[in-house]
Amino acid sequence: MLRKIGQGIWVAEQPLKYFGLNVGTRMTALRLANGELAIISPIQAIDGVLNQLSELGPVKHIIAPNLYHYLFAAEFKQRYPEAVFWAASGLESKKPELPIDRVIEYNTKVLLDGLECLLFSGFRTLGVTGFDALNEYVFLHGASRTLILTDAAFHFDESFPIATRLVTRVIGGYQRLSPSILEKIATTDKAKVRASVEQVLAWDFERVVMAHGSIVEQNGKEKLKQGYEWFLG
């Protein structure tokens, strides 16, 4: 179910396994300056969440923020046919069957009124077929001073199952806002990632929301800087 975490921002979670690990996944709902709602990385469109959204305002934007987080975007588009389905660049060729309305351009700085964005350039991850580009866009919701990531960083803690805690202690992302060692191995263009991180750190944010892990409510900028020290060094 949706829960409010700040001014004009709500989240909802659902279970998810990745390579056998319980990592969960999270959707973010934002109220824009004009009162419309934008949904980033939609989860399954269950009635309880949809009913809550209907009380908050009209859903006008559905955002698939990278090349992996699109599984329930089409389902949301079906429920909200008047909403604009925004997709990370490259998703239109990876999944041409998706009902994408607009592709986020590489140089986009402000996606919607009250929602800044940035292509997290150079970042790669381990996919089912090997090391893949994410083409992830990260977002700043200025009204709540919240940075919204998807797979650019993890933050697992004691609330996750023991297997997840044990593995992330080894590969990274346990009690630390950071990518895992897999992303470090996969990412060959360290300079591009460093430039992206530096641009993100120039934003004004305190909270960090990510798709997998527990939300960082305080000192988010410093924790992200610490988690990306390998790229920044």
Side-chain angles (χ1 to χ4, degrees):
M1 303 296 283
L2 279 175
R3 55 189 176 91
K4 187 174 184 178
I5 60 170
Q7 180 181 343
I9 181 169
W10 297 260
V11 295
E13 293 96 3
Q14 71 179 29
L16 178 73
K17 283 188 175 183
Y18 191 67
F19 287 106
L21 287 182
N22 289 291
V23 297
T25 192
R26 176 177 293 112
M27 163 184 106
T28 303
L30 305 169
R31 179 177 287 134
L32 303 173
N34 60 6
E36 296 176 350
L37 297 182
I39 308 299
I40 299 176
S41 191
I43 61 172
Q44 192 171 9
I46 60 175
D47 288 339
V49 169
L50 299 180
N51 291 339
Q52 287 179 291
L53 286 173
S54 67
E55 297 174 359
L56 299 178
V59 174
K60 293 296 186 180
H61 304 276
I62 300 162
I63 303 170
N66 66 29
L67 299 185
Y68 280 80
H69 277 250
Y70 58 83
L71 293 179
F72 300 107
E75 185 179 350
F76 256 73
K77 175 66 173 177
Q78 186 175 19
R79 295 295 190 110
Y80 301 101
E82 295 183 359
V84 177
F85 180 174
W86 296 85
S89 48
L91 188 57
E92 76 282 7
S93 56
K94 179 181 178 180
K95 290 289 179 179
E97 70 275 15
L98 290 175
I100 295 169
D101 296 306
R102 298 187 66 178
V103 174
I104 306 174
E105 300 293 336
Y106 284 106
N107 60 350
T108 302
K109 301 300 181 185
V110 177
L111 183 65
L112 301 165
D113 190 9
L115 186 63
E116 297 180 56
C117 77
L118 171 73
L119 174 63
F120 206 72
S121 185
F123 195 68
R124 297 171 65 87
T125 191
L126 175 65
V128 294
T129 59
F131 293 131
D132 297 327
L134 265 179
N135 281 20
E136 176 162 335
Y137 289 80
V138 299
F139 303 90
L140 175 68
H141 183 239
S144 63
R145 298 184 64 220
T146 301
L147 172 67
I148 302 160
L149 311 175
T150 305
D151 296 323
F154 310 107
H155 186 240
F156 298 104
D157 58 19
E158 64 279 356
S159 67
F160 284 81
I162 187 169
T164 304
R165 302 199 307 265
L166 289 173
V167 170
T168 54
R169 280 178 187 269
V170 175
I171 69 172
Y174 181 71
Q175 293 190 337
R176 183 175 172 85
L177 181 63
S178 71
S180 76
I181 193 173
L182 300 176
E183 284 75 44
K184 292 178 181 178
I185 293 171
T187 300
T188 56
D189 198 336
K190 188 176 176 181
K192 276 189 176 181
V193 175
R194 180 171 61 249
S196 296
V197 175
E198 289 173 346
Q199 290 180 74
V200 170
L201 292 175
W203 282 345
D204 178 25
F205 63 93
E206 177 78 10
R207 178 188 293 110
V208 181
V209 173
M210 72 298 299
H212 312 293
S214 294
I215 294 170
V216 175
E217 289 288 353
Q218 296 179 320
N219 302 317
K221 182 179 292 193
E222 182 59 29
K223 290 179 180 179
L224 184 70
K225 183 178 180 181
Q226 293 171 0
Y228 266 87
E229 61 187 1
W230 186 84
F231 289 97
L232 293 171

